[in-house]
Amino acid sequence: MISDAEEAGTGFPVVPAETRITAVTALEVRVPSLIASAEISSPMDAHPAHRHRRSSWYGMMSQVLVSVTSSDGRTGIGCTNGGSASVAVIEDHLAALLVGTDPSDIEALADLCTRATIPYGPGGIAAMAVSGIELALWDLAGKRAGEPVYRLLARALGGQDDPPTAAPIPVYASGNEPERFVDLGFEAVKMSMRAGPWDGADGVRVNAGVLSRARKALGSDRDLMVDAWMGWDLDYIAQMSPLLADHNVRWLEEPLPPTSLPDNAEARRLAAPTALATGEHCHRIDEFTALLDTAAVDILQPDVSWCGGLTAAWRVWDKAERQGVTVVPHLSGAVWGLHLVAARPGAQLAEWYVDTTGDQEPGTAPSIFHGAPRPEAGALRPSDEPGFGVRIDPAAVERWGRRR
């Protein structure tokens, strides 16, 4: 553990020796997901029964609410995915390692959890579990300091002595309603590619229709991106590349699994002049490093709820910047990732998806949180309340929570 003198320079309040973690809990929350029902290509397209609909097979999509309570009576909250498997990792393994430790030593505690999961991880479900805990620790730190997380990040990891209040951050809208998004003031939209190699020539026509509809709605001045969600292969990328260029697509997202490094490097070549974006399904820093070192990516997309948390994503961003690669974190318009983007000097874009909003507003999925920011004129800014600035909705947790 770091000393009080060292801690005083990190941006966190000096922690009394008696302040320790007293409880770590996790709860699976099965909120209905708009993402799950959207048509999109996927690696399961090889099996006709599961083609195009993630809801038919993607059981780990359910959220996990993580709470970390300290002996001073405060509780930090984080959120990840992985469903009941993540809950088991947190409550049956990692919680016992964390109780009694200093909650302010966030990077050390995340490292402790990551190392403990090596026998069965450290990627995938294990990384999701660690991410949820790490986010809850940052929320707790913000509540104890009386500051928003983005300011703590800018000070502790970015070396800013007096971080400024966050300015509005431009966001692109992810979803398949380009006309609506234009009306809401968005200057960039990402559409799902509905078909892939298993759909033959008809699938190419379907995707061409998606591109034409989107470009017509957006006009020539707004950015268009597309997501193939690991459902394509190299031949299909080569086939689609002229269509992407004809419709002035800014980036093609995740046409292949990100861990297929030689293929991703070739995919980047085939997709040009359209940029290749990937990384949301990377769970370890070495996976991001491999993408960067093999020149397999133009836009890197870590997800703070899956890659180990805010500190891990910050380290990845540093590596990408040194190599001249742009970072646009996955689902960064959500509460957790938005604080990361707000804390990074020069960050220019975040992602907003209708599922990341909440408070039961029309056209959005239900949420277990109150206080999530809403886009205004195509931009978002994080809350200046302590921590992440959101509150748990007890009624929503009661309705959607799934206790073991």
Side-chain angles (χ1 to χ4, degrees), residues 93-94 97-98 108-118 130 133:
H93 184 193
L94 301 180
L97 302 178
L98 295 170
L109 293 180
D111 181 70
L112 172 81
C113 292
T114 298
R115 290 175 182 274
T117 61
I118 286 175
V130 174
I133 290 170

Side-chain angles (χ1 to χ4, degrees), residues 69-382:
T69 301
S70 63
S71 55
D72 60 8
R74 296 182 175 90
T75 296
I77 56 174
C79 197
T80 185
N81 293 90
S84 58
S86 283
V87 173
V89 171
I90 293 167
E91 292 203 328
D92 297 343
H93 184 193
L94 301 180
L97 302 178
L98 295 170
V99 170
T101 62
D102 180 349
S104 70
D105 208 351
I106 297 173
E107 190 164 11
L109 293 180
D111 181 70
L112 172 81
C113 292
T114 298
R115 290 175 182 274
T117 61
I118 286 175
Y120 55 86
I125 295 294
M128 290 179 179
V130 174
S131 300
I133 290 170
E134 202 259 12
L135 294 174
L137 288 169
W138 277 106
D139 187 53
L140 178 62
K143 289 172 178 175
R144 297 177 66 213
E147 286 197 279
V149 166
Y150 76 83
R151 288 180 61 85
L152 295 187
L153 284 170
R155 188 179 295 115
L157 301 182
Q160 299 182 46
D161 293 333
D162 186 21
T165 299
I169 300 163
V171 290
Y172 69 89
S174 284
N176 297 327
E177 303 175 272
E179 298 86 359
R180 173 177 171 238
F181 294 145
V182 168
D183 289 343
L184 291 173
F186 289 96
E187 293 297 320
V189 171
K190 185 173 73 184
M191 299 282 289
S192 299
M193 290 283 88
R194 293 168 52 195
W198 302 98
D199 298 296
D202 286 342
V204 174
R205 287 191 286 272
V206 167
N207 285 337
V210 171
L211 293 170
S212 295
R213 174 195 170 193
R215 183 47 71 195
K216 180 180 179 181
L218 297 176
S220 59
D221 296 333
R222 296 179 181 86
D223 281 335
L224 170 63
M225 294 80 81
V226 298
D227 188 355
W229 211 71
M230 304 177 288
W232 290 5
D233 58 24
L234 291 174
D235 288 342
Y236 199 76
I237 294 168
Q239 190 174 2
M240 286 294 302
S241 183
L243 275 172
L244 301 179
D246 287 346
H247 290 85
N248 193 23
V249 172
R250 178 174 174 180
W251 75 62
L252 167 63
E253 184 167 317
E254 211 175 29
L256 308 173
T259 50
S260 178
L261 296 174
D263 285 350
N264 269 280
E266 178 64 5
R268 184 186 178 208
R269 185 188 71 80
L270 292 171
T274 303
L276 185 77
T278 192
E280 72 178 80
H281 288 105
C282 290
H283 299 113
R284 306 192 311 269
I285 290 179
D286 63 295
E287 293 176 339
F288 292 101
T289 300
L291 282 172
L292 294 167
D293 289 348
T294 56
V297 61
D298 295 295
I299 312 289
L300 199 61
Q301 299 175 302
D303 188 308
V304 301
S305 293
W306 301 346
C307 75
L310 289 166
T311 309
W314 189 283
R315 305 301 185 208
V316 166
W317 202 321
D318 283 344
K319 288 176 181 286
E321 275 193 346
R322 288 195 292 269
Q323 297 192 34
V325 172
T326 299
V327 178
V328 182
H330 178 246
L331 290 183
S332 43
V335 171
W336 328 102
L338 190 62
H339 281 257
L340 171 68
V341 177
R344 294 289 308 200
Q348 297 177 353
L349 191 62
E351 178 182 14
W352 177 77
Y353 194 93
V354 67
D355 261 14
T356 66
T357 313
D359 289 341
Q360 306 289 323
E361 297 191 31
T364 69
S367 174
I368 59 171
F369 301 108
H370 288 308
R374 290 264 316 156
E376 294 183 11
L380 280 168
R381 64 181 302 275

